[in-house]
mmCIF file with all atom_site columns, all heavy atoms in Angstrom:
data_model
loop_
_atom_site.group_PDB
_atom_site.id
_atom_site.type_symbol
_atom_site.label_atom_id
_atom_site.label_alt_id
_atom_site.label_comp_id
_atom_site.label_asym_id
_atom_site.label_entity_id
_atom_site.label_seq_id
_atom_site.pdbx_PDB_ins_code
_atom_site.Cartn_x
_atom_site.Cartn_y
_atom_site.Cartn_z
_atom_site.occupancy
_atom_site.B_iso_or_equiv
_atom_site.pdbx_formal_charge
_atom_site.auth_seq_id
_atom_site.auth_comp_id
_atom_site.auth_asym_id
_atom_site.auth_atom_id
_atom_site.pdbx_PDB_model_num
ATOM 1   N N   . VAL F 1 4  ? -56.631 35.811 169.855 1.00 0.00 ? 4  VAL F N   1
ATOM 2   C CA  . VAL F 1 4  ? -55.802 36.982 169.548 1.00 0.00 ? 4  VAL F CA  1
ATOM 3   C C   . VAL F 1 4  ? -55.393 36.940 168.075 1.00 0.00 ? 4  VAL F C   1
ATOM 4   O O   . VAL F 1 4  ? -54.918 35.901 167.604 1.00 0.00 ? 4  VAL F O   1
ATOM 5   C CB  . VAL F 1 4  ? -54.527 36.988 170.415 1.00 0.00 ? 4  VAL F CB  1
ATOM 6   C CG1 . VAL F 1 4  ? -53.696 38.222 170.131 1.00 0.00 ? 4  VAL F CG1 1
ATOM 7   C CG2 . VAL F 1 4  ? -54.858 36.868 171.892 1.00 0.00 ? 4  VAL F CG2 1
ATOM 8   N N   . THR F 1 5  ? -55.588 38.028 167.371 1.00 0.00 ? 5  THR F N   1
ATOM 9   C CA  . THR F 1 5  ? -55.134 38.118 165.981 1.00 0.00 ? 5  THR F CA  1
ATOM 10  C C   . THR F 1 5  ? -54.110 39.244 165.881 1.00 0.00 ? 5  THR F C   1
ATOM 11  O O   . THR F 1 5  ? -54.371 40.354 166.339 1.00 0.00 ? 5  THR F O   1
ATOM 12  C CB  . THR F 1 5  ? -56.321 38.429 165.050 1.00 0.00 ? 5  THR F CB  1
ATOM 13  O OG1 . THR F 1 5  ? -57.299 37.399 165.202 1.00 0.00 ? 5  THR F OG1 1
ATOM 14  C CG2 . THR F 1 5  ? -55.881 38.465 163.586 1.00 0.00 ? 5  THR F CG2 1
ATOM 15  N N   . VAL F 1 6  ? -52.962 38.938 165.315 1.00 0.00 ? 6  VAL F N   1
ATOM 16  C CA  . VAL F 1 6  ? -51.912 39.947 165.123 1.00 0.00 ? 6  VAL F CA  1
ATOM 17  C C   . VAL F 1 6  ? -51.718 40.129 163.625 1.00 0.00 ? 6  VAL F C   1
ATOM 18  O O   . VAL F 1 6  ? -51.293 39.200 162.931 1.00 0.00 ? 6  VAL F O   1
ATOM 19  C CB  . VAL F 1 6  ? -50.582 39.514 165.771 1.00 0.00 ? 6  VAL F CB  1
ATOM 20  C CG1 . VAL F 1 6  ? -49.538 40.620 165.601 1.00 0.00 ? 6  VAL F CG1 1
ATOM 21  C CG2 . VAL F 1 6  ? -50.760 39.174 167.239 1.00 0.00 ? 6  VAL F CG2 1
ATOM 22  N N   . LYS F 1 7  ? -52.069 41.306 163.126 1.00 0.00 ? 7  LYS F N   1
ATOM 23  C CA  . LYS F 1 7  ? -51.828 41.621 161.724 1.00 0.00 ? 7  LYS F CA  1
ATOM 24  C C   . LYS F 1 7  ? -50.542 42.415 161.637 1.00 0.00 ? 7  LYS F C   1
ATOM 25  O O   . LYS F 1 7  ? -50.417 43.460 162.285 1.00 0.00 ? 7  LYS F O   1
ATOM 26  C CB  . LYS F 1 7  ? -52.962 42.481 161.157 1.00 0.00 ? 7  LYS F CB  1
ATOM 27  C CG  . LYS F 1 7  ? -54.272 41.749 161.059 1.00 0.00 ? 7  LYS F CG  1
ATOM 28  C CD  . LYS F 1 7  ? -55.396 42.653 160.604 1.00 0.00 ? 7  LYS F CD  1
ATOM 29  C CE  . LYS F 1 7  ? -55.312 42.941 159.123 1.00 0.00 ? 7  LYS F CE  1
ATOM 30  N NZ  . LYS F 1 7  ? -56.648 43.415 158.617 1.00 0.00 ? 7  LYS F NZ  1
ATOM 31  N N   . MET F 1 8  ? -49.596 41.917 160.839 1.00 0.00 ? 8  MET F N   1
ATOM 32  C CA  . MET F 1 8  ? -48.369 42.696 160.716 1.00 0.00 ? 8  MET F CA  1
ATOM 33  C C   . MET F 1 8  ? -47.759 42.502 159.339 1.00 0.00 ? 8  MET F C   1
ATOM 34  O O   . MET F 1 8  ? -48.121 41.601 158.602 1.00 0.00 ? 8  MET F O   1
ATOM 35  C CB  . MET F 1 8  ? -47.398 42.375 161.832 1.00 0.00 ? 8  MET F CB  1
ATOM 36  C CG  . MET F 1 8  ? -47.002 40.948 161.959 1.00 0.00 ? 8  MET F CG  1
ATOM 37  S SD  . MET F 1 8  ? -45.889 40.771 163.411 1.00 0.00 ? 8  MET F SD  1
ATOM 38  C CE  . MET F 1 8  ? -45.432 39.058 163.180 1.00 0.00 ? 8  MET F CE  1
ATOM 39  N N   . LEU F 1 9  ? -46.842 43.388 159.008 1.00 0.00 ? 9  LEU F N   1
ATOM 40  C CA  . LEU F 1 9  ? -46.238 43.377 157.698 1.00 0.00 ? 9  LEU F CA  1
ATOM 41  C C   . LEU F 1 9  ? -45.586 42.028 157.421 1.00 0.00 ? 9  LEU F C   1
ATOM 42  O O   . LEU F 1 9  ? -44.916 41.460 158.280 1.00 0.00 ? 9  LEU F O   1
ATOM 43  C CB  . LEU F 1 9  ? -45.191 44.495 157.629 1.00 0.00 ? 9  LEU F CB  1
ATOM 44  C CG  . LEU F 1 9  ? -45.101 45.209 156.297 1.00 0.00 ? 9  LEU F CG  1
ATOM 45  C CD1 . LEU F 1 9  ? -46.428 45.804 155.878 1.00 0.00 ? 9  LEU F CD1 1
ATOM 46  C CD2 . LEU F 1 9  ? -44.030 46.269 156.325 1.00 0.00 ? 9  LEU F CD2 1
ATOM 47  N N   . GLU F 1 10 ? -45.767 41.531 156.233 1.00 0.00 ? 10 GLU F N   1
ATOM 48  C CA  . GLU F 1 10 ? -45.148 40.271 155.806 1.00 0.00 ? 10 GLU F CA  1
ATOM 49  C C   . GLU F 1 10 ? -43.637 40.344 155.992 1.00 0.00 ? 10 GLU F C   1
ATOM 50  O O   . GLU F 1 10 ? -43.061 41.409 156.057 1.00 0.00 ? 10 GLU F O   1
ATOM 51  C CB  . GLU F 1 10 ? -45.473 40.028 154.322 1.00 0.00 ? 10 GLU F CB  1
ATOM 52  C CG  . GLU F 1 10 ? -45.057 41.188 153.434 1.00 0.00 ? 10 GLU F CG  1
ATOM 53  C CD  . GLU F 1 10 ? -45.445 41.011 151.957 1.00 0.00 ? 10 GLU F CD  1
ATOM 54  O OE1 . GLU F 1 10 ? -45.855 39.909 151.570 1.00 0.00 ? 10 GLU F OE1 1
ATOM 55  O OE2 . GLU F 1 10 ? -45.325 41.996 151.199 1.00 0.00 ? 10 GLU F OE2 1
ATOM 56  N N   . GLY F 1 11 ? -43.030 39.182 156.096 1.00 0.00 ? 11 GLY F N   1
ATOM 57  C CA  . GLY F 1 11 ? -41.577 39.138 156.129 1.00 0.00 ? 11 GLY F CA  1
ATOM 58  C C   . GLY F 1 11 ? -40.966 38.745 157.469 1.00 0.00 ? 11 GLY F C   1
ATOM 59  O O   . GLY F 1 11 ? -39.754 38.699 157.605 1.00 0.00 ? 11 GLY F O   1
ATOM 60  N N   . ARG F 1 12 ? -41.816 38.492 158.481 1.00 0.00 ? 12 ARG F N   1
ATOM 61  C CA  . ARG F 1 12 ? -41.260 38.025 159.753 1.00 0.00 ? 12 ARG F CA  1
ATOM 62  C C   . ARG F 1 12 ? -40.826 36.563 159.591 1.00 0.00 ? 12 ARG F C   1
ATOM 63  O O   . ARG F 1 12 ? -41.453 35.814 158.845 1.00 0.00 ? 12 ARG F O   1
ATOM 64  C CB  . ARG F 1 12 ? -42.320 38.111 160.870 1.00 0.00 ? 12 ARG F CB  1
ATOM 65  C CG  . ARG F 1 12 ? -43.011 39.438 160.960 1.00 0.00 ? 12 ARG F CG  1
ATOM 66  C CD  . ARG F 1 12 ? -42.062 40.588 161.281 1.00 0.00 ? 12 ARG F CD  1
ATOM 67  N NE  . ARG F 1 12 ? -42.746 41.852 161.034 1.00 0.00 ? 12 ARG F NE  1
ATOM 68  C CZ  . ARG F 1 12 ? -42.676 42.894 161.837 1.00 0.00 ? 12 ARG F CZ  1
ATOM 69  N NH1 . ARG F 1 12 ? -41.886 42.877 162.893 1.00 0.00 ? 12 ARG F NH1 1
ATOM 70  N NH2 . ARG F 1 12 ? -43.330 44.004 161.538 1.00 0.00 ? 12 ARG F NH2 1
ATOM 71  N N   . THR F 1 13 ? -39.794 36.192 160.303 1.00 0.00 ? 13 THR F N   1
ATOM 72  C CA  . THR F 1 13 ? -39.314 34.814 160.247 1.00 0.00 ? 13 THR F CA  1
ATOM 73  C C   . THR F 1 13 ? -40.160 33.907 161.130 1.00 0.00 ? 13 THR F C   1
ATOM 74  O O   . THR F 1 13 ? -40.890 34.369 162.005 1.00 0.00 ? 13 THR F O   1
ATOM 75  C CB  . THR F 1 13 ? -37.867 34.737 160.763 1.00 0.00 ? 13 THR F CB  1
ATOM 76  O OG1 . THR F 1 13 ? -37.889 35.111 162.149 1.00 0.00 ? 13 THR F OG1 1
ATOM 77  C CG2 . THR F 1 13 ? -36.956 35.697 160.009 1.00 0.00 ? 13 THR F CG2 1
ATOM 78  N N   . GLU F 1 14 ? -40.012 32.622 160.897 1.00 0.00 ? 14 GLU F N   1
ATOM 79  C CA  . GLU F 1 14 ? -40.716 31.652 161.738 1.00 0.00 ? 14 GLU F CA  1
ATOM 80  C C   . GLU F 1 14 ? -40.267 31.806 163.188 1.00 0.00 ? 14 GLU F C   1
ATOM 81  O O   . GLU F 1 14 ? -41.073 31.680 164.107 1.00 0.00 ? 14 GLU F O   1
ATOM 82  C CB  . GLU F 1 14 ? -40.445 30.232 161.228 1.00 0.00 ? 14 GLU F CB  1
ATOM 83  C CG  . GLU F 1 14 ? -41.360 29.229 161.906 1.00 0.00 ? 14 GLU F CG  1
ATOM 84  C CD  . GLU F 1 14 ? -41.474 27.925 161.144 1.00 0.00 ? 14 GLU F CD  1
ATOM 85  O OE1 . GLU F 1 14 ? -41.788 27.961 159.932 1.00 0.00 ? 14 GLU F OE1 1
ATOM 86  O OE2 . GLU F 1 14 ? -41.249 26.869 161.756 1.00 0.00 ? 14 GLU F OE2 1
ATOM 87  N N   . GLU F 1 15 ? -39.007 32.090 163.388 1.00 0.00 ? 15 GLU F N   1
ATOM 88  C CA  . GLU F 1 15 ? -38.501 32.272 164.756 1.00 0.00 ? 15 GLU F CA  1
ATOM 89  C C   . GLU F 1 15 ? -39.206 33.455 165.437 1.00 0.00 ? 15 GLU F C   1
ATOM 90  O O   . GLU F 1 15 ? -39.577 33.378 166.612 1.00 0.00 ? 15 GLU F O   1
ATOM 91  C CB  . GLU F 1 15 ? -36.982 32.478 164.722 1.00 0.00 ? 15 GLU F CB  1
ATOM 92  C CG  . GLU F 1 15 ? -36.320 32.369 166.080 1.00 0.00 ? 15 GLU F CG  1
ATOM 93  C CD  . GLU F 1 15 ? -36.846 31.179 166.892 1.00 0.00 ? 15 GLU F CD  1
ATOM 94  O OE1 . GLU F 1 15 ? -36.738 30.024 166.461 1.00 0.00 ? 15 GLU F OE1 1
ATOM 95  O OE2 . GLU F 1 15 ? -37.408 31.425 167.969 1.00 0.00 ? 15 GLU F OE2 1
ATOM 96  N N   . GLN F 1 16 ? -39.418 34.541 164.708 1.00 0.00 ? 16 GLN F N   1
ATOM 97  C CA  . GLN F 1 16 ? -40.133 35.686 165.292 1.00 0.00 ? 16 GLN F CA  1
ATOM 98  C C   . GLN F 1 16 ? -41.580 35.332 165.602 1.00 0.00 ? 16 GLN F C   1
ATOM 99  O O   . GLN F 1 16 ? -42.131 35.744 166.622 1.00 0.00 ? 16 GLN F O   1
ATOM 100 C CB  . GLN F 1 16 ? -40.099 36.882 164.337 1.00 0.00 ? 16 GLN F CB  1
ATOM 101 C CG  . GLN F 1 16 ? -38.744 37.591 164.315 1.00 0.00 ? 16 GLN F CG  1
ATOM 102 C CD  . GLN F 1 16 ? -38.749 38.774 163.360 1.00 0.00 ? 16 GLN F CD  1
ATOM 103 O OE1 . GLN F 1 16 ? -39.070 38.612 162.181 1.00 0.00 ? 16 GLN F OE1 1
ATOM 104 N NE2 . GLN F 1 16 ? -38.403 39.952 163.856 1.00 0.00 ? 16 GLN F NE2 1
ATOM 105 N N   . LYS F 1 17 ? -42.207 34.572 164.709 1.00 0.00 ? 17 LYS F N   1
ATOM 106 C CA  . LYS F 1 17 ? -43.598 34.182 164.948 1.00 0.00 ? 17 LYS F CA  1
ATOM 107 C C   . LYS F 1 17 ? -43.713 33.265 166.174 1.00 0.00 ? 17 LYS F C   1
ATOM 108 O O   . LYS F 1 17 ? -44.627 33.393 166.979 1.00 0.00 ? 17 LYS F O   1
ATOM 109 C CB  . LYS F 1 17 ? -44.181 33.494 163.709 1.00 0.00 ? 17 LYS F CB  1
ATOM 110 C CG  . LYS F 1 17 ? -44.330 34.455 162.530 1.00 0.00 ? 17 LYS F CG  1
ATOM 111 C CD  . LYS F 1 17 ? -44.946 33.775 161.314 1.00 0.00 ? 17 LYS F CD  1
ATOM 112 C CE  . LYS F 1 17 ? -45.141 34.794 160.181 1.00 0.00 ? 17 LYS F CE  1
ATOM 113 N NZ  . LYS F 1 17 ? -45.763 34.186 158.984 1.00 0.00 ? 17 LYS F NZ  1
#
Side-chain angles (χ1 to χ4, degrees):
Chain F
V4 182
T5 302
V6 183
K7 292 175 76 160
M8 57 183 187
L9 217 57
E10 55 183 349
R12 310 298 167 137
T13 64
E14 191 161 307
E15 193 44 60
Q16 284 180 305
K17 293 182 177 181

